Amino acid sequence: MKGRSTAAGRQEIIEMLSPAPVDDSSNASAARFVRHFVTNLRFDVVGPARIQTSAYFVVFTQDGPDHWGRYRDALVEVGERWLFSHRFVSVDAVRPGGWFDGR
């Protein structure tokens, strides 16, 4: 994603996507969630050992739509599984003051 570091491997991806601790002492019962909705999945290239896809996404929090954009993915066959070998994320817009703003 533009302006964000690259994560390679399972551990780096987990660390990059883990949320920062939230100090919510003013409202400890507030519901906190982040939901990703992916739509218009398109298989752009389908080969015997590699697939390239594209999709749109929108991320919601308890405050509504937070940010949205596009995924461009490459998957490779590993044994009997298909695993991501690359993901390009393009964030088209961010709700000012939202969860993603300034991350």
Side-chain angles (χ1 to χ4, degrees), residues 17-30:
L17 295 178
S18 294
V22 175
D23 179 11
D24 197 17
S25 55
S26 63
N27 188 359
S29 65

Side-chain angles (χ1 to χ4, degrees), residues 26-47:
S26 63
N27 188 359
S29 65
R32 295 240 175 248
F33 64 87
V34 177
R35 303 287 188 265
H36 293 76
F37 290 87
V38 179
T39 186
N40 292 21
L41 175 62
R42 187 174 82 183
F43 288 80
D44 300 311
V45 177
V46 177

Side-chain angles (χ1 to χ4, degrees), residues 78-89:
V78 178
E80 295 183 8
R81 300 168 53 190
W82 287 89
L83 301 177
F84 288 97
S85 64
H86 184 265
R87 167 165 273 179
F88 175 78
V89 180

Side-chain angles (χ1 to χ4, degrees), residues 62-76:
Q62 67 276 3
D63 297 320
D66 188 78
H67 61 284
W68 48 93
R70 295 164 281 149
Y71 291 135
R72 301 296 180 259
D73 296 327
L75 296 94
V76 294

Side-chain angles (χ1 to χ4, degrees), residues 63 65-68 93-102:
D63 297 320
D66 188 78
H67 61 284
W68 48 93
V94 175
R95 182 174 51 88
W99 175 79
F100 190 79
D101 191 24

